Amino acid sequence: MAILEVNNICKRFQDNEVLKGISFSLEEGQVLSIIGSSGSGKTTLLRCITGLETADSGSICVGGRMTFDSERREKLSKAEKRENQLCTGLVFQSFNLFPQYTVLRNVTLAKELLVKETCRAEKCDKKEKKARLAAIEDEAKRVIESVGLSDKLASYPCELSGGQQQRVAIARALMLSPKVLCFDEPTSALDPEITGEVLAVIRKLAEEGRTMLIVTHEMGFAREVSNEVIFMHDGVIGEQGSPEELFDRPQSTRLKEFLSAALHA
Amino acid sequence: MFWTVTQSLLKGFGTTVEIFGLTLLLALPLGLLLSFGSMSRFRVLKWLVKTFIWIIRGTPLMLQLIIIYYGPGLVGTWAQGLEQSNFLVDWLASWSVFDRFVAVIVAFVINYSCYFSEIYRGGIESISRGQYEAGQVLGMTRTQVFFKVVLLQVVKRIVPPMSNEIITLVKDTSLARIIAVYEIIWAGQSFIKSAGLLWPLFYTGVFYLAFNGLLTVLFGRIEKKLNYFRG
């Protein structure tokens, strides 16, 4: 069974119909890239999947859990909402690190709050709580090491380069082990010479078999890292297939135009 | 003579500092509540709070002091004049002697929480949506996002306008004199009548300056302390 199933998602903002019925699925351990020109609805789709935007109709299922269903009428409890939220992770274009916290704290904060809550719910004693919190810190250090920033644990975001900040943001998202990790144009805010370090981290995650959904403008990278590519145009899926199919044998004129424009940019 | 004047002024200055301290203590949290009200999704509440802020910011603090001090007294006197006596009437009648100092604190707290609330609102609304969204996708609740992520960034941004307002508060305490609360200006002024001396009134300025100097240093420290991050 697919780990992510998106069924007929529609979304409009006032008179602007941004998504006109998007359906696709993603198998566990696969990487799916979404390409397309600005305004084609890529980011809105990602925001619907990660719960930042509520779609008007359709359903989304992550790892067997229905995280969104427009048919569902009853209200979700806070716990259910959070459970849904934690199914997916999102790395933003503009990083959105918490500026007042160190790299380590940025990565541990959310998990710490979560553990503190479960401790309170389970009424576990202080020793147990301390042990759990210590475990988080160890885990965070491992995750930060995996993105190559072990020497920056105590640095603040403003002391880091854009590429380093984005790698911290990736570590922060990984810390909650989402079933599907989403990237919203992760390198668009970076200088060309440092996009490489971020892409290297994502590449490594792909090799480790992490399920990822990547909205990107880096055509070369999308081709190399993805198992499947979706070309979005005007709120619908224009073409879908393996990277070779899409990049080497584009069918529609839309995609041909888009690719030649992207290549000559 | 200088020593007598200083002692007398210090006594008045004590009241000044009390008004200042109490107002700050109560208006800082109350202002935050008001700012939540003015940003509320509930239209009615938002409208009510905004109207309240408009009235308070749109009228002089001096007038508010007078209304808050004499208003209840009018009601109290009216209630005392009523023939029958019951719990409510007795309670209203008890208002005819409204403590001057309490009236000052009430007026100042209301006035300053409105100003503070607008500063808070500006600070909160200046935080980028990305910060809230980052918190949300990490599974934090709205309350957690506000207190753990947004608040310190807001504090950093509002220190300069807050210090402005707080320094104004020090000087505004002199308005308490209008309902005969013995603070430093009155203390200084009383020497004109009693001894024909004008300089004690000028001398009060030294106290204000010293106190505001202290506050300026303090706010400078806070700003410096929050300088470790950008955002």
Side-chain angles (χ1 to χ4, degrees):
Chain A
M1 205 181 91
I3 198 159
L4 172 68
E5 277 180 77
V6 175
N7 287 310
N8 207 21
I9 288 292
C10 296
K11 175 74 182 174
R12 60 162 63 234
F13 295 108
Q14 279 95 42
D15 290 335
N16 185 13
E17 207 175 353
V18 184
L19 299 175
K20 304 169 184 168
I22 301 279
S23 303
F24 68 90
S25 65
L26 178 60
E27 297 296 322
E28 185 159 12
Q30 303 276 292
V31 178
L32 174 70
S33 291
I34 303 177
I35 58 171
S37 43
S38 315
S40 59
K42 310 180 300 281
T43 294
T44 307
L45 175 62
L46 211 60
R47 288 172 65 86
C48 285
I49 293 170
T50 51
L52 288 179
E53 218 70 72
T54 311
D56 299 325
S57 64
S59 68
I60 296 165
C61 188
V62 187
R65 187 185 170 87
M66 200 64 104
T67 57
F68 173 73
D69 185 2
S70 58
E71 299 296 305
R72 197 189 145 115
R73 285 286 161 257
E74 66 268 40
K75 262 201 153 181
L76 291 168
S77 72
K78 261 190 181 165
E80 282 175 308
K81 270 188 193 161
R82 173 178 273 192
E83 193 80 8
N84 286 345
Q85 189 67 67
L86 290 173
C87 284
T88 55
L90 177 62
V91 174
F92 297 86
Q93 180 178 350
S94 48
F95 331 133
N96 293 338
L97 292 180
F98 306 136
Q100 73 270 42
Y101 294 132
T102 61
V103 166
L104 183 63
R105 188 103 176 93
N106 260 283
V107 176
T108 55
L109 181 67
K111 185 98 179 232
E112 237 178 67
L113 293 171
L114 215 58
V115 164
K116 276 182 189 161
E117 263 173 49
T118 42
C119 276
R120 217 172 300 141
E122 292 168 16
K123 293 199 172 72
C124 57
D125 55 32
K126 274 194 176 154
K127 220 173 134 191
E128 169 72 17
K129 191 171 152 185
K130 224 176 170 182
R132 287 192 196 182
L133 291 176
I136 293 177
E137 197 171 317
D138 291 340
E139 192 188 342
K141 283 179 182 162
R142 272 199 305 279
V143 177
I144 294 169
E145 195 188 344
S146 78
V147 297
L149 288 171
S150 288
D151 54 331
K152 300 286 184 193
L153 287 179
S155 303
Y156 288 93
C158 63
E159 300 161 354
L160 303 178
S161 72
Q164 290 169 332
Q165 287 191 50
Q166 191 60 300
R167 284 189 279 156
V168 176
I170 294 173
R172 184 175 69 171
L174 284 174
M175 192 64 191
L176 294 160
S177 10
K179 293 187 186 114
V180 179
L181 183 54
C182 304
F183 293 83
D184 184 14
E185 303 185 19
T187 57
S188 294
L190 299 175
D191 293 336
E193 61 264 35
I194 47 177
T195 52
E197 64 183 62
V198 172
L199 296 182
V201 169
I202 302 176
R203 199 175 289 131
K204 197 172 127 205
L205 292 173
E207 282 159 15
E208 287 166 10
R210 214 164 262 282
T211 319
M212 293 189 285
L213 189 59
I214 308 172
V215 167
T216 183
H217 287 302
E218 298 278 331
M219 293 306 142
F221 176 69
R223 178 184 187 134
E224 168 205 347
V225 83
S226 333
N227 304 94
E228 201 172 2
V229 180
I230 282 178
F231 168 63
M232 274 185 74
H233 179 74
D234 219 10
V236 293
I237 293 181
E239 271 182 60
Q240 180 173 6
S242 68
E244 291 75 28
E245 281 170 347
L246 254 82
F247 290 113
D248 296 338
R249 298 182 293 279
Q251 303 295 314
S252 60
T253 35
R254 293 283 187 202
L255 179 54
K256 281 177 194 158
E257 277 169 18
F258 173 75
L259 286 176
S260 73
L263 276 176
H264 297 111
Chain B
M1 193 63 205
F2 180 76
W3 184 234
T4 330
V5 170
T6 305
Q7 269 182 320
S8 177
L9 290 193
L10 268 175
K11 197 165 157 263
F13 190 60
T15 316
T16 296
V17 172
E18 264 177 64
I19 299 171
F20 170 80
L22 278 170
T23 305
L24 213 54
L25 194 73
L26 298 170
L28 283 174
L30 197 64
L32 191 61
L33 279 182
L34 278 176
S35 77
F36 289 150
S38 68
M39 292 183 289
S40 173
R41 279 171 294 175
F42 304 108
R43 286 266 181 85
V44 181
L45 179 66
K46 182 176 169 171
W47 184 84
L48 276 174
V49 172
K50 290 218 165 203
T51 310
F52 183 70
I53 292 175
W54 167 63
I55 292 170
I56 298 299
R57 291 204 309 174
T59 53
L61 176 54
M62 191 190 272
L63 185 59
Q64 290 162 17
L65 269 167
I66 292 170
I67 291 174
I68 284 174
Y69 180 58
Y70 292 106
L74 288 179
V75 176
T77 322
W78 167 78
Q80 273 176 333
L82 292 177
E83 292 289 305
Q84 86 264 42
S85 166
N86 62 36
F87 172 73
L88 184 68
V89 170
D90 290 346
W91 183 61
L92 285 174
S94 72
W95 280 12
S96 56
V97 268
F98 200 53
D99 188 86
R100 292 167 197 281
F101 187 76
V102 174
V104 166
I105 297 301
V106 170
F108 271 77
V109 167
I110 291 176
N111 186 277
Y112 272 83
S113 23
C114 284
Y115 281 98
F116 288 161
S117 84
E118 285 295 278
I119 296 177
Y120 287 134
R121 188 173 64 86
I124 291 170
E125 287 179 347
S126 75
I127 303 296
S128 81
R129 261 182 55 180
Q131 291 289 308
Y132 293 94
E133 290 182 348
Q136 191 193 329
V137 295
L138 290 167
M140 295 187 205
T141 61
R142 289 168 67 101
T143 324
Q144 286 174 338
V145 173
F146 182 77
F147 285 104
K148 298 285 177 181
V149 175
V150 175
L151 190 60
L152 193 62
Q153 297 180 49
V154 172
V155 170
K156 182 184 165 87
R157 287 182 194 195
I158 66 175
V159 169
M162 266 310 196
S163 67
N164 238 345
E165 209 56 51
I166 288 170
I167 282 171
T168 305
L169 171 60
V170 175
K171 295 171 288 177
D172 271 358
T173 53
S174 59
L175 287 171
R177 197 211 163 296
I178 205 72
I179 55 167
V181 167
Y182 185 84
E183 45 67 68
I184 187 167
I185 292 280
W186 192 1
Q189 219 174 8
S190 65
F191 283 97
I192 300 176
K193 274 181 252 165
S194 65
L197 293 174
L198 193 55
W199 64 264
L201 189 55
F202 297 171
Y203 183 26
T204 60
V206 175
F207 288 79
Y208 285 111
L209 269 180
F211 193 46
N212 279 331
L214 202 72
L215 286 176
T216 307
V217 172
L218 186 73
F219 281 115
R221 287 242 175 112
I222 295 175
E223 263 184 65
K224 215 170 165 191
K225 194 139 203 193
L226 289 173
N227 232 347
Y228 75 90
F229 72 88
R230 266 204 303 267

